Each structure stands twice: as structure tokens, then as C-alpha cells.
Amino acid sequence: MVTVRGLFGRAALAAVLLLAPLVPLTPAAAAAAPQEPATEPASVSASASAEDWTAPLSTRGRWIVDADGDRFKLRSGNWHGASGTWNGSGSRDEDANHHAGENSGRMPLGLDRAPMAEIIAGFRELGLNSIRLPFSNEMIHDGRPVTDDAVAANPALRGRTPLQVYDVVVRELTASGLAVILNNHTNTTRWCCGVDGNERWNASRSTEEWENDWLFMARRYRDNRRVVGADLYNEVRRTVWDDPNWGLGDHHDWFTASQRLGDRILTEANADLLIIVEGINWTGIPVDGFAHGRPTLEPVRRLSHTLVDSGKLVYSAHFYGYTGPNHSGATGIGETSDPRYQDLTPAELIDVLNRQAFYVSAEQDRHFTAPVWISEFGVGGRGETGAGQRAWFENFVDHLIRTDADFAYWPLVGWHDHRAGNGWALLHWDAAGHRMGLHDGDDWRAAAWTRLVGAPGRTGRIGPVADWSMLSPDHADFVASRRMRALPDWDSGARKAVCPDGQRLLGLSHTGNRGLCSDVTAGPLGDPAGGHRVVTDERYVAPGGDWASGYTKLQCPGGHFLSGYSVRGSAVSAALCTAARPGAITATAGRTVWFDRGDNRGPAPAGGDFGHGHYKGQCADGEYAAGIAYTGRLGSSRTPDALYCRPLG
């Protein structure tokens, strides 16, 4: 969550202006080894009938579906606390030094005030079917037992580490029928989100450590089928010195880091999990006259993820009224003159929301088409009297309903003292364990919330859809095929790009190295028995079959289709041809699609712009690519100039 004080406080802003260095926090107990799951006493267990859905979850186009193919709309909330509530200064033992005075004790908030079963029952009363459960990397390694006071309402948790408490929470949530999405919220166990040592996945630890922690967590819960998602990192944003980026291939490249980790989780830890990637939350210096803004999911239009398993990618975004498309959310120092979301008219708000996130699920048959989960949004409750804030929440809820979007409210649990305190939560408990809930009759949000969770939307079976995938070997291999990953390197020293298993190559860009894959019309073409050829010359061009005179042609042999390619620099190196299942394709005459001097993708090409700013060629939906042509003449960079497209069947 973006703190109400915004991304930059007074000291941090001074650092941004190069008056002071950033000093990352060092986790106090990071060296402790992760704990193995402990056997939990029955006294902690909640008993509730499971909701009628079948794990695991996957995606079909813009929809999340369960194992039966039925739509599973994420009606979620955030149960925060395990990622930390300490503000970063003063004693961690003092409640006053924690966000809103709420000390979580390094666990999901509220376990000192209410039995876990009561809290979870409250979630079900709110109409939720899933919980986003934040954790920090530091929490995973924290071997210190939680204090007795921190689990006063759940004494069976005494003596456990934060991770062992997290285990129990996961188990009890899923036993009640709720789905759980694991969320790596922070590096360190402190409140998010500013210039705080938690800006990037590798701000306070190495990328390798971050990946290893995720593999540990994904394996830890893989036998619990209702742990359904891995939300890779929260609100990636600028440090004092550097911005994150989307595709530059460096240490700050969030696209590459999330792509690599998503594939590692699916191939090494738990193939059932949804891989949830949030957009970039902030770049630039929040001072008028300096470039700054909230990219969110806008970069996805030009560069999207292609995981080794189609149907596992979900994108996410966060929206709060006090932030804006170019506003950090700060007040006073660090505040700019840019409008906040709550300052926009309803029409302006819809336009911005669609541009920043909702287009990903609204536009079908694109390389980027995927479900969008608004995994954080929220507003103050009883104490919020601002007309702008209230109108924003109503308007935002209306857009969630209008778009039938998946959502997760922030936060679910909070404290109250005589019905006062941090009013953002939907459920509050006081020190004596008395609950104050959303539906007690005096919370203005109740009507909008009821409208949201009860809104009509798509239900029932979602039919199979065509998958469209982008290949982007911009800086390294981009092999999205499990089968080819398991085989020896087929073009050592070159950057290789391979379609996911079940898809075929349909498009290439003239420069920029990008490719487009799909299973449209024909579904999977590959022979289940496997088999491929690496083509580096013209040996398979039949006499009299010169389809690109004067050009070098890398043509697949009969019974094979293009599923990948390799490049050295910008030059074509080899074509990867996959054996088709018997009878799927024939060696009939094809056509040459030239794209060396302009785009050539037909009148209404599906898949979207997979090589922005570059000429592109694309076979028709009812065709497969059987060859790549390029020229090595003087002055040429040996980039792709033409595709040889043959009809299916």
C-alpha cells in the first residue's frame, strides 16, 4: 500500500535531491534458516464447509477459471501484518511506532484481539472468496518466536515463529474454503511504501535471494491446492538514485526479473500457481519540473510476459484516490501540482484507469490479454468526510462493476478504540476483542461494498480461447517451451526464442528481434512424440520452390512448422522447426509475406503490436510459418525480411 504520507517524506525527499544518501535497512534476523511446517494443534483449527470451486486456478483470455473451467472471480481482501507495520524509527515494541499505531507483531493483524476463526468468519461475511496474504522476505528467515501478547486471543500460537504463524493462517483460510494468494510485499518487515529499503525486489537483498525465498514459499504450500497464486512483488518503485524499468535488461528491470521468477516457480516449485505481476508503481522525482509518474501496466502493451505455461499469468494494479497518474500521494514536501485520481471527473477517471490497467483485460486476442486483478484499493470509513474521497470510491467501485474486474480491498483488519482509529479496514477489533464491522449501520462504504460483491458478472463455464504470445529475446534467451528447455542448447552463443509448447510462430519483426506465437484456429500442432530440426541453410528448399529469390531461406522440412528462431546481434542465426502431428499440415504451396519495407500483417491482424516501432510480418490465422528469409548482401544486418506462410490442413 502507498502510505498516506506518500512515496517521499521530508528526509527522503532531501535524499532524492542528492542532499543525503540512502541507507538500506538490514534485517535483524535474516540469517536464520526458514522453518519447516510444524504440526498444528486442533484447537487452532477453524471448521467451515468449503466453497464450491475446484483448484487449481488458471486463465482463459481475460478470465480466471477453476479446474472445471468455471469462472472464478477474485473477490478478495488484504490481510496485512506479516509484511510488517513498523514505521522505521523508534522501538519496534512501541505501538506508536507502527503504522496507525497498529502493531501486528510480525503476523497478520488482529491475532492479539480476536480468535482466528472469528476473523476468518468475518471475511466470509463480507462476501470474499480469496485473501491476498502479504509477507516479507525477512519474516521467512525470522527465527524469533512471536510474543505472547501478540497472540493473546490465539494462545495456541505461543512460541511459534512468524512463519509458523503464517502457516496456520494459510491452513485455516483455505480450510474455510477461501483461496490464498501469497504476496511478497516487502524485503524487510516494516511498513510499505516509500524510500524505505523495500522499493524493489532486490533493494535490500540480492535477486538470487529473492528468487530462492519465493521457491521456498511456493514449495512450502504446494500440497495445499487452495493456495492458488504467487503475487511476486508489491509496488515496484524508485529508490533515491534509480528508477525501475520494463525491459532494459539491467539490475532494475522488473519485466525480466518477474518473467524469470515466474518461469522458475512454474518449473521448479509449483506448476499450479497463478503468477501475478504488478505494474511499475512509480518512476521519477516527484517535484514539479521533473519527469515523474505511475506507469502501472501501460508498458505491457508493448512488452508482455510469456510464461512457460500458458494460462497462468495475471496482471495486477493498485489505485487509491489520494494518488494519481502523476501524483505520488504525498502532501507538503514531495507533493506536486498533478491531479490525484480523486480530482478527476468520472469520465476522466475512466479514461485514465483504462489506459493504465483495464485495457489489458478489455482488449481481446492480443499478446498482452490477461486477467487484471486490482489487488489494492481502499478509502477511509466512518471518519472520512471528504466529498472528493467518497465520490472517488463510489466511482471506482462503479468501474470495477462495469468491467467485471477481479479485486482485493486494502485492508481487511484494523484496530479501533471506542469506534475510532484507523478507519480504512472493513473489520476492526478493540483491545477487549469487540468487533466493529462494515455492516454495523454507520459506515458509509457499506452500500458501495454490497453493490460490488453482489454485482452481476460473467459466471459459469468459460470456453477455450486462442492464446497469443510475444517472444522478446532482446537481451538473452527467451525460451517459453518446456520441451526445448529440457534439451541441449540448439544454437550455442545465440539468443534463442521459442514459442510455448502448443503454439506456433506466426509473426516476426524486421528489426528488434520480436516474435508472435499462437495456437489460433488449429490448436496445438506439435507431434506428441516430439522432434525438431534446427535449420541454418537452404537444404529443405525444393527445386523450383524459391519463394524469396536472391535471399537466404531457412525453410522447415516437410511435416514441420516454425516454432522458434535464434539471433546473433540483430541477425538471423537459425530457424527452429517442430515436427507436426500426423496429418496436421501438408507441404502445399505457400505465399511469401514481405516486411522489409513496411508492415505486412493483413487487414485486421490479431495478436496486437508485438514489435512496436518496427516493420512486422504475420501469417494469417489459418496458416503456419514454414520459413524465414533474409539477405546477407552488403549493408544488410541479416534481419528477417520475409516469412513463408502455408495453409493449415
Side-chain angles (χ1 to χ4, degrees), residues 576-588:
L576 180 69
C577 302
T578 295
R581 67 178 185 271
I585 59 177
T586 59
T588 57

Side-chain angles (χ1 to χ4, degrees), residues 71 73 75 126-127 397-405 407 447-459:
R71 199 267 175 101
K73 181 175 182 176
R75 301 190 307 273
L126 290 171
V397 165
D398 286 344
H399 200 56
L400 291 176
I401 295 171
R402 183 182 302 115
T403 57
D404 197 6
F407 60 86
W449 180 260
T450 300
R451 192 166 78 249
L452 176 61
V453 296
R458 179 73 180 268
T459 60

